[in-house]
Amino acid sequence: MDIHAISILCATIAVSVGAIGPALAEGRAVAAAMEAIARQPEAANTLSRTLFVGLAMIETMAIYCLVIALLLLFANPFV
Amino acid sequence: MIESPLSAPIVFALGPVTITLPVLTTWGLMAVLTLGSALATRRLRVVEPGRVQTALELVVQTLNRQIGETMQADPAPFLPLLGTLFLYLATANLTGLVPGLKSPTAFLETAGALALVVLLATQALGVRARGLWGYLKGFAQPTPLLLPLNILAELTRAFSLSVRLFGNVMSGEFVIGIVLSLAGLFVPVPLMALELLLGLVQAYIFTILAAVFIGGAVGSIERG
């Protein structure tokens, strides 16, 4: 395998593996927020704002993996 | 071969300075937002406000309330910066859906510049609220051992702010482009509707995170 094929393979692995963790974490976060809103509907505003900020934080991990994949594909220092 | 999403296409050059596509789109957006605001606020009335004025008041009040609730402080000194950020980001994220245009935030330069603005504003507002020594002392809390980590956290927050915005907007447009080239004309329409939502959510998140960072620096809320 030459460096191009390895880069493409690694980019795919980075995105697919990097998506697992944040997906599970976001699912748990949303589930917890839903439960909290169901228990206390009057706190929905505060909860959803905190949820959005938290989701953004979690999502950053997946985005980092995406950026690594893009670096491998388009700005690879070894090609 | 797809063109690299990490580099911006150059539109024209003014001598040694090259003007790229996101810069040009940003100038257009600035002109539209400035002219639109100037036109909409030309005839403001206290009694019997017009339709445009009512809509504008709704926007400003919602921004005011959200920022105030997030920062747990009077939002008035922060509304100009954060409100402008939100309005610019919302329009910039949605320009990608107009045929022939590309979101300026889908390029790393624009997102990085906006994050830099937030980073500098955080420092400046923190120094203004607590004094230079008081603000710098905040970095050595709770123990001076955490000083390098706190400084690093300040920089990585700005970095993740820019990468998050860039990654989300760019990947959305990228996926639409790929689906369009694979499947055909009307298939990516649901994806574009999703992108409409995601663009607004990203603008909201960027603004709220900026508010959280500034609130932490000013001292109205716990340092995030």
Side-chain angles (χ1 to χ4, degrees):
Chain A
M1 274 204 305
D2 65 335
I3 191 82
H4 291 96
I6 295 175
S7 298
I8 293 175
L9 194 66
C10 288
T12 323
I13 293 173
V15 169
S16 47
V17 175
I20 297 173
L24 291 175
E26 291 205 346
R28 291 185 64 143
V30 173
M34 287 291 152
E35 202 173 320
I37 290 177
R39 276 171 203 269
Q40 235 180 331
E42 67 273 11
N45 262 331
T46 322
L47 280 172
S48 50
R49 197 175 55 243
T50 324
L51 174 70
F52 271 129
V53 175
L55 284 186
M57 293 287 183
I58 300 167
E59 203 177 53
T60 313
M61 301 300 129
I63 300 286
Y64 282 157
C65 293
L66 176 73
V67 170
I68 297 290
L70 287 176
L71 284 177
L72 280 177
L73 289 180
F74 292 106
N76 198 327
F78 302 111
V79 170
Chain B
M1 186 64 196
I2 314 165
E3 61 181 297
S4 164
L6 294 173
S7 65
I10 293 165
V11 183
F12 61 89
L14 288 174
V17 186
T18 51
I19 305 295
T20 53
L21 184 63
V23 176
L24 204 64
T25 324
T26 303
W27 285 349
L29 279 175
M30 278 160 64
V32 167
L33 283 177
T34 317
L35 281 179
S37 308
L39 281 179
T41 53
R42 211 173 38 170
R43 239 179 264 129
L44 294 182
R45 277 176 302 184
V46 179
V47 257
E48 286 189 37
R51 281 182 198 172
V52 181
Q53 189 187 338
T54 315
L56 278 184
E57 280 178 5
L58 182 70
V59 172
V60 173
Q61 276 176 359
T62 312
L63 282 172
N64 230 351
R65 201 182 58 237
Q66 290 286 343
I67 294 169
E69 280 177 7
T70 310
M71 300 183 65
Q72 291 163 20
D74 179 29
F78 312 109
L79 185 68
L81 174 70
L82 295 173
T84 314
L85 259 182
F86 177 78
L87 289 179
Y88 170 70
L89 281 172
T91 43
N93 290 351
L94 296 185
T95 37
L97 296 171
V98 180
L101 292 180
K102 247 177 104 66
S103 293
T105 40
F107 298 97
L108 201 46
E109 296 91 332
T110 317
L114 290 173
L116 201 63
V117 167
V118 172
L119 177 70
L120 295 180
T122 310
Q123 316 306 322
L125 291 170
V127 168
R128 201 180 69 181
R130 295 206 254 172
L132 185 59
W133 181 241
Y135 179 69
L136 290 180
K137 223 164 51 182
F139 280 105
Q141 299 290 339
T143 74
L145 277 179
L146 289 176
L147 184 69
L149 275 183
N150 277 336
I151 294 173
L152 195 67
E154 201 75 16
L155 296 176
T156 46
R157 276 193 326 202
F159 177 71
S160 73
L161 202 60
S162 72
V163 170
R164 177 182 307 120
L165 181 66
F166 158 73
N168 273 297
V169 179
M170 184 274 307
S171 61
E173 293 193 352
F174 216 61
V175 166
I176 290 177
I178 290 174
V179 171
L180 186 66
S181 64
L182 285 181
L185 194 52
F186 292 108
V187 185
V189 169
L191 284 176
M192 292 174 84
L194 184 69
E195 193 57 20
L196 203 67
L197 173 73
L198 279 183
L200 290 177
V201 167
Q202 284 309 317
Y204 176 76
I205 284 173
F206 194 98
T207 317
I208 289 296
L209 283 178
V212 168
F213 297 160
I214 291 175
V218 170
S220 63
I221 52 174
E222 187 94 0
R223 202 176 257 268

